Amino acid sequence: MENVVVLIVGAGPAGLATAACLTQLSIPYVIVEREYCSASLWRNRAYDRLKLHLAKEFCELPHMSYPADAPTYIPKALFVKYVDDYIECFNIQPKYLTSVESSTYDGEKKVWSIVAHDMVECKRINFTTKFLVVASGENSAENIPVIPGLQNFPGETIHSSRYKSGKSFSGKSVLVIGSGNSGMEIAYDLATHGVNTSIVVRSPIHVMTKELIRHGITMPNMGPMMLKSKTGRSAVIDVGTVGLIKKGIIQVQGSISEIMGNIVKFQSGDEISFDAIVFATGYKSTTNMWLKNGESMLNDNGLPTKEYPNHWKGENRLYCAGLARRGLAGIAADAKNIANDIKSVISSMSS
């Protein structure tokens, strides 16, 4: 049994930011991560051309800026280096390949009891902690929509987490399902590699230009910030996709009715043959698979029950970081709030 003051679950940007903030306040913690590395989404499940979609000043983790000569929009490789430098700067030492299996609150002892699995030594680890921080992210498991006939599609089907470059699809016909930033950027990448590219746009999106309506893309009734807050869907930051749609190089399709062999039937009545399908349909949280007694903080989808900015704190010294769907700036705010609250509780307990 390991007794710790604070247990952080997840060594992505949210968990690392929380660890750094606790370090600044001299609060001891343990951080566990089921993958073999930190920020695994960025290292292992991001396409090659990915950049942060906001300027670097809005994408910093607490207490450390990007190098002065860093570009305005940080590319994948530079962000991973920033994360590595961040870990070194704050001497963060995650327990990798440690998967939390269950977590329950003991009301009598007023502690959280956690059971984890050490995948290296194949043994169980038991933790007790006064403070539990959920930082395992909303991007834990691939989200693949149910489409009639998909199981019989003979071509390649991959989630965006496994997409790296359009080079391997050159000369083929590929359908991208999902029109968020990842879907739009993957469609652009495919088209620039000589791929016959189509993209499914099932609902209105913000792309900051009204003339796209006649190309099959409409804008939502809610503004970009309200849409992000309510649904988690971001406005699309155009990387060149818009121009290729206007030129007819990338085809916009509506909702799919069914798939028959390699033919995709759309609700518009169009039927098109494809060699591959890329699902840029996002992720879902798996937190509720291991977190019990967390109803005060998370809903059935593993997302906060409370509205921003009060989403980060539950009952019984339970916290969440990085689940407000507000990017790295939101992660930084969560981490600071959590560390300061833990500091305040510890101070009140000792007085």
Side-chain angles (χ1 to χ4, degrees):
M1 178 74 70
E2 292 190 36
N3 300 310
V4 300
V5 178
V6 183
L7 182 70
I8 303 170
V9 181
L16 299 175
T18 304
C21 289
L22 291 170
T23 296
Q24 292 296 92
L25 297 176
S26 300
I27 299 173
Y29 66 86
V30 168
I31 180 170
V32 296
E33 167 58 50
R34 68 179 183 179
E35 302 290 342
Y36 68 89
C37 61
S38 63
S40 63
L41 180 67
W42 280 86
R43 295 180 198 273
N44 305 325
R45 293 185 281 161
Y47 45 93
D48 293 343
R49 63 171 294 116
L50 179 63
K51 294 182 180 180
L52 292 175
H53 293 118
L54 295 177
K56 60 184 178 183
E57 57 264 33
F58 301 108
C59 299
E60 293 178 348
L61 298 180
H63 310 299
M64 193 174 113
S65 299
Y66 289 100
D69 59 350
T72 300
Y73 296 97
I74 305 296
K76 169 185 169 180
L78 185 55
F79 182 74
V80 169
K81 184 180 186 308
Y82 172 76
V83 168
D84 288 338
D85 292 343
Y86 195 81
I87 289 172
E88 183 177 357
C89 177
F90 295 101
N91 192 30
I92 303 170
Q93 299 179 26
K95 292 179 179 289
Y96 294 119
L97 294 171
T98 302
S99 176
V100 173
E101 296 181 341
S102 68
S103 176
T104 55
Y105 184 70
D106 186 327
E108 290 186 8
K109 297 180 181 178
K110 298 189 183 306
V111 296
W112 287 90
S113 297
I114 293 95
V115 177
H117 178 64
D118 182 331
M119 290 182 274
V120 175
E121 299 188 11
C122 296
K123 68 178 183 179
R124 175 182 290 186
I125 308 173
N126 295 302
F127 295 97
T128 61
T129 183
K130 293 183 174 67
F131 304 91
L132 178 60
V133 181
V134 177
S136 46
E138 58 183 294
N139 299 330
S140 299
E142 300 173 358
N143 181 44
I144 303 290
V146 176
I147 301 174
L150 175 61
Q151 69 275 13
N152 296 320
F153 181 73
E156 183 177 3
T157 59
I158 64 168
H159 188 267
S160 58
S161 61
R162 291 183 284 124
Y163 177 90
K164 296 301 179 184
S165 168
K167 188 183 300 184
S168 60
F169 296 97
S170 182
K172 296 181 179 181
S173 293
V174 178
L175 177 65
V176 179
I177 300 178
S179 54
N181 278 300
S182 293
M184 287 291 206
E185 195 160 358
I186 287 172
Y188 176 81
D189 187 62
L190 286 165
T192 56
H193 280 91
V195 178
N196 183 11
T197 307
S198 295
I199 184 169
V200 170
V201 181
R202 293 174 292 178
S203 55
I205 55 175
H206 283 289
V207 282
M208 309 309 180
T209 170
K210 292 182 179 178
E211 61 182 299
L212 277 182
I213 293 174
R214 61 190 177 89
H215 293 278
I217 298 176
T218 57
M219 296 179 70
N221 293 324
M222 282 189 283
M225 297 306 293
M226 181 63 73
L227 188 72
K228 176 67 173 173
S229 176
K230 295 293 185 182
T231 70
R233 289 164 50 203
S234 300
V236 171
I237 310 300
D238 181 42
V239 296
T241 315
V242 169
L244 297 186
I245 289 173
K246 290 178 183 177
K247 293 177 181 177
I249 296 173
I250 295 175
Q251 301 296 317
V252 175
Q253 304 293 339
S255 295
I256 297 171
S257 57
E258 65 176 324
I259 298 174
M260 296 187 67
N262 64 343
I263 303 296
V264 178
K265 293 186 175 183
F266 298 93
Q267 291 183 3
S268 63
D270 291 343
E271 298 184 7
I272 305 174
S273 173
F274 291 100
D275 300 304
I277 300 175
V278 179
F279 287 94
T281 43
Y283 299 83
K284 51 191 175 184
S285 170
T286 58
T287 301
N288 285 335
M289 294 177 64
W290 58 265
L291 177 65
K292 308 304 176 187
N293 310 122
E295 299 83 4
S296 65
M297 187 177 72
L298 302 180
N299 61 24
D300 291 342
N301 295 320
L303 297 173
T305 56
K306 298 177 184 175
E307 294 285 332
Y308 175 89
N310 302 310
H311 60 282
W312 53 273
K313 185 177 180 180
E315 296 176 356
N316 303 319
R317 301 188 293 275
L318 175 67
Y319 304 90
C320 66
L323 294 181
R325 301 188 288 198
R326 288 179 172 259
L328 290 165
I331 283 174
D334 288 350
K336 292 174 184 178
N337 284 331
I338 291 168
N340 288 334
D341 192 75
I342 291 174
K343 179 71 171 178
S344 176
V345 174
I346 290 175
S347 297
S348 66
M349 290 168 65
S350 59
S351 60

